Amino acid sequence: MRRSLQRSNEHFRQASAAMPMGVSSNFRYWGDDKTLYADHGKGARLWDIDGNEYIDYRLGYGPAILGYADPRVDEAAIEGMKVGGVFALSTELEYDVASRISRMVPAAEMVRFSNSGTEAVMAALRLAKAFTRKDSHIIVEGGYHGIFDSVLWYADIEEWDESKGGQPNVEVESHGVPQILKKLTHFTPLNDADYLEDLLKRHHHEIGAFLVEPIMGNCCSIQATREYMQAARMLCEKYHVIMIVDEVKTGFRVARGGVQELLGIKADLCTFAKAMGNGYPISAVAGRKDIMMQVANGVSHGGTYTCHSVSLAAANRCLQILDETPALENIAKYGNDLRDGMSKVLRDRGIRHCFTGHGSMSGLFFNAEAPTNYRDWLNSDYTFYDTMAPKLHDLGILCEPDSREPWFVCEAHEQSCLTQTVAAFESAVDETLEELKDTDRAKATA
Ligand SMILES: Cc1ncc(COP(=O)(O)O)c(C=O)c1O
């Protein structure tokens, strides 16, 4: 490692005594001598406590859509601070923000706010199950929907031997999740409408919700096709299952109307979080009036900190910018230019690759063809990515070490970031080729 992480490492030892693993989220722990502590961020750049500067493509897993410490949003947040916080009462501004969301996302006939993506998805699942009076749900293999018991399950593709027949086992992500919930969770591979139909034929009487993230933001940005989403839409109607489109990452990022606009679909319920408030904690569940109105008919929804005046003011301003300025077009353009720059480096070296998802949240994939579901991802060679990512960190480019997490772009990424990133990428690719020359190079190249 070329950077010094001395201060981060020292802090890790100190922090580990007070906080398990020295962090406040398991995903922030990267190893005893690799865990970074942020000092501050500005625009598209982040500085760690050792003073290392990075161009950041993690952006807190997506929230900083305009860039860190965006003055427009921060000024609004400061005004929001003067309002007074939370009152156990609603404020007028909630209506304004909800109305804007409804204008931007046609499926969002009604809106309720929460603080995190997890809370929004929890609410959506509860609403769907209350509405259908059916207790189970379907998750797409490889999908991530937050840190609560109903979704902390995964289809164990890695241990699955397709040649032996059968389907991947369903396993729990976390100790402490009651095993009894397993029977409420079904899995389906993305982009396989026949599989979904078969599942629904057999279990529709118990399945109340189909939970899908059509650009899989925790799975290499693998994308659903329009045809698949349309088929899934019809199947949900046929079997009286609520389609929940989880837009926690894609919402207000891939288009003003989110992935639903991009793919021409309309969810029954949808969830939003990350890009809503440029990092201030706020989320929303939204959807069909008849389903949302279940909250007036016995479905619990709420929370002490829901619509804190700071977050709400930030969301109001952030959504206004995303709605009324070309921010999203600029973000997509940067993302596409970045793909072009990286592609040239890889093409010049004969390295097979492709990009998945949308320019604003790209998955980089070392294969000639994009994966269509998580099963495909597993069959690809991701050693190249895994070897390259820490080299990029050393060169001042902060991408997620796990290849499943996409590269997020914000409005503050500009030409100097692009030039610097492509140059660093070229060096990292060459160093990776050198390191893998006797091992995986053959697999990684054409
Ligand atoms: C698609 C999706 N849904 C839900 C969540 C949970 O959001 P949060 O971490 O804000 O609870 C995430 C988080 O990454 C996500 O990507």
Side-chain angles (χ1 to χ4, degrees), residues 25-174:
S25 162
N26 289 5
F27 303 114
R28 297 180 192 173
Y29 171 78
W30 291 4
D32 288 10
D33 58 352
K34 293 193 194 70
T35 297
L36 291 188
Y37 289 90
D39 181 69
H40 69 286
K42 182 68 194 162
R45 294 177 191 259
L46 181 150
W47 287 262
D48 69 22
I49 61 172
D50 283 281
N52 299 306
E53 178 180 329
Y54 307 89
I55 299 171
D56 191 358
Y57 292 98
R58 296 175 70 248
L59 300 175
Y61 294 137
I65 183 91
L66 302 173
Y68 294 117
D70 181 88
R72 298 162 294 181
V73 177
D74 286 356
E75 270 161 32
I78 290 165
E79 288 306 307
M81 204 175 286
K82 296 178 192 159
V83 172
V86 284
F87 311 101
L89 292 172
S90 279
T91 60
E92 285 179 321
L93 191 58
E94 289 168 35
Y95 167 76
D96 295 342
V97 180
S99 304
R100 186 182 291 277
I101 292 174
S102 297
R103 284 197 303 275
M104 292 173 83
V105 183
E109 292 171 13
M110 294 188 104
V111 179
R112 271 287 181 103
F113 295 100
S114 295
N115 300 298
S116 66
T118 293
E119 282 177 273
V121 180
M122 266 166 63
L125 273 182
R126 186 177 304 135
L127 282 162
K129 291 177 182 186
F131 188 77
T132 58
R133 300 184 185 278
K134 296 190 281 184
D135 287 347
S136 302
H137 56 273
I138 302 176
I139 301 178
V140 173
E141 289 173 0
Y144 177 78
H145 299 284
I147 198 134
F148 65 104
D149 291 358
S150 301
V151 295
L152 280 174
W153 299 89
Y154 67 100
D156 194 358
I157 308 287
E158 293 179 39
E159 294 300 319
W160 175 53
D161 185 350
E162 196 175 355
S163 64
K164 290 193 179 142
Q167 295 303 327
N169 288 333
V170 173
E171 303 290 347
V172 70
E173 293 268 9
S174 167

Side-chain angles (χ1 to χ4, degrees), residues 176-196:
V177 173
Q179 277 295 325
I180 199 166
L181 293 178
K182 181 171 173 170
K183 64 173 193 289
L184 301 183
T185 318
H186 299 271
F187 279 86
T188 189
L190 192 70
N191 286 323
D192 188 341
D194 292 340
Y195 192 105
L196 181 62

